[in-house]
Amino acid sequence: MRLVELFIIETTEEDRAIISLANVIYRHVGKYSDYVDPESTKPVPVGKIGDFADTPLDGFEDINIELQQGEALGRRVATANQEEYDGRKIGGIWSNTGPTITLNADNIDSERIKSTIVHELRHALDDLKSEGRAGSSERYSTPKKKEHRKKDPHSEKNYPYLAAPEEINARFGEVLNGLTDSISKNANMRPDQLWDHEIKVLKRLLSAYDISTLFPEREKSKDYKRLIKRAVDFIQKEIKYIQSV
């Protein structure tokens, strides 16, 4: 994968495979709630994905899953980024050394952890497809717009982080995960009603995950148009799947 192709070569099939796999991991991880010691800072190994799940995504079978107490995970991320720990909650992290996805054990009983799994699986797939270059590439981790490359002292938003292409792509995965849940819950609607409803949900999720705010120009941005096209294709296929079952 050439890094310049972010948002272009991702497919709905990959998005759906990630979300399906995240559901399996979510159910499996839930079995480890009693293994996590809230007083311990050490990660709790859950196992390799290939040991408990079948995945059509190449390389995913060797990814390790582990749980770590929330504060310990936060301090670990701060240390890795040479920052002072400020109490910020970290949902999870992806590391291509291992390779390993570490999840915040404090969220183990919440469905929020499934969204985090989707987020980290997207990071993992982008990294694997680029043969490990995505996580270390300035092109991939640097916002395209100059106005997003420096922290705004008047805003709580960390735009250098939020606007990085790799982060947009991972949060977009969470948007699609939210659409999956919504389509499933509203499957009894008429097809036209369901379509209109999910387009509204899409708009809300794009705002909630700080994506639409990065593209005030909307369709004038090629990247934004590509994301919307992916989302529309995703909704169409999910509705068709729901109707078939």
Side-chain angles (χ1 to χ4, degrees):
M1 179 179 82
R2 295 184 313 166
L3 300 181
V4 294
E5 293 179 332
L6 185 65
F7 305 151
I8 300 178
I9 64 171
E10 281 81 358
T11 67
T12 302
E13 286 70 26
E14 286 178 349
D15 291 325
R16 297 181 75 209
I18 284 175
I19 291 170
S20 177
L21 181 59
N23 277 309
V24 177
I25 295 173
Y26 168 65
R27 291 193 294 269
H28 186 75
V29 164
K31 301 174 184 178
Y32 284 75
S33 57
D34 294 335
Y35 290 79
V36 179
D37 181 356
E39 302 300 323
S40 175
T41 61
K42 294 182 178 180
V44 174
V46 171
K48 289 185 177 181
I49 292 176
D51 292 339
F52 59 85
D54 294 325
T55 171
L57 300 166
D58 291 341
F60 271 47
E61 63 276 2
D62 294 324
I63 294 177
N64 298 292
I65 304 292
E66 64 182 21
L67 295 161
Q68 190 170 20
Q69 185 263 352
E71 183 178 344
L73 180 58
R75 292 186 182 280
R76 175 177 165 186
V77 171
T79 299
N81 293 317
Q82 299 180 327
E83 301 171 344
E84 184 177 345
Y85 178 59
D86 60 3
R88 185 164 57 98
K89 300 293 184 182
I90 304 296
I93 56 174
W94 154 253
S95 172
N96 58 16
T97 56
T100 303
I101 290 174
T102 306
L103 302 169
N104 187 333
D106 297 350
N107 299 333
I108 195 169
D109 294 323
S110 168
E111 283 200 14
R112 183 171 55 182
I113 202 170
K114 182 164 77 76
S115 186
T116 299
I117 294 169
V118 171
H119 184 109
E120 302 307 331
L121 287 177
R122 182 75 250 182
H123 278 314
L125 183 58
D126 289 341
D127 215 17
L128 291 171
K129 286 167 63 177
S130 66
E131 298 179 346
R133 290 176 293 161
S136 59
S137 166
E138 286 190 14
R139 182 188 296 275
Y140 212 70
S141 60
T142 302
K144 291 185 177 182
K145 297 180 181 180
K146 291 182 179 179
E147 62 265 34
H148 292 151
R149 294 176 188 170
K150 291 183 179 180
K151 287 189 177 182
D152 182 351
H154 305 293
S155 174
E156 295 181 357
K157 302 289 186 182
N158 182 356
Y159 285 110
Y161 171 75
L162 292 173
E166 62 175 345
E167 274 304 309
I168 293 174
N169 212 24
R171 294 200 310 282
F172 185 71
E174 295 186 79
V175 168
L176 299 183
N177 178 63
L179 285 170
T180 301
D181 292 340
S182 178
I183 291 170
S184 178
K185 290 176 182 176
N186 296 287
N188 59 335
M189 287 184 174
R190 290 202 324 263
D192 58 328
Q193 290 178 324
L194 183 56
W195 172 259
D196 291 342
H197 180 270
E198 295 313 317
I199 292 299
K200 292 177 182 177
V201 172
L202 171 62
K203 291 178 179 178
R204 289 201 300 268
L205 290 172
L206 287 172
S207 176
Y209 283 98
D210 292 305
I211 293 177
S212 56
T213 52
L214 299 174
F215 301 98
E217 70 277 29
R218 297 296 189 268
E219 280 74 16
K220 292 181 181 179
S221 164
K222 290 182 179 180
D223 285 339
Y224 185 78
K225 286 176 67 176
R226 288 166 184 146
L227 290 173
I228 295 301
K229 185 178 183 300
R230 260 170 78 191
V232 167
D233 187 43
F234 184 89
I235 292 171
Q236 289 174 333
K237 290 183 178 177
E238 280 298 303
I239 289 177
K240 185 176 181 180
Y241 170 75
I242 286 294
Q243 291 172 340
S244 71
V245 297

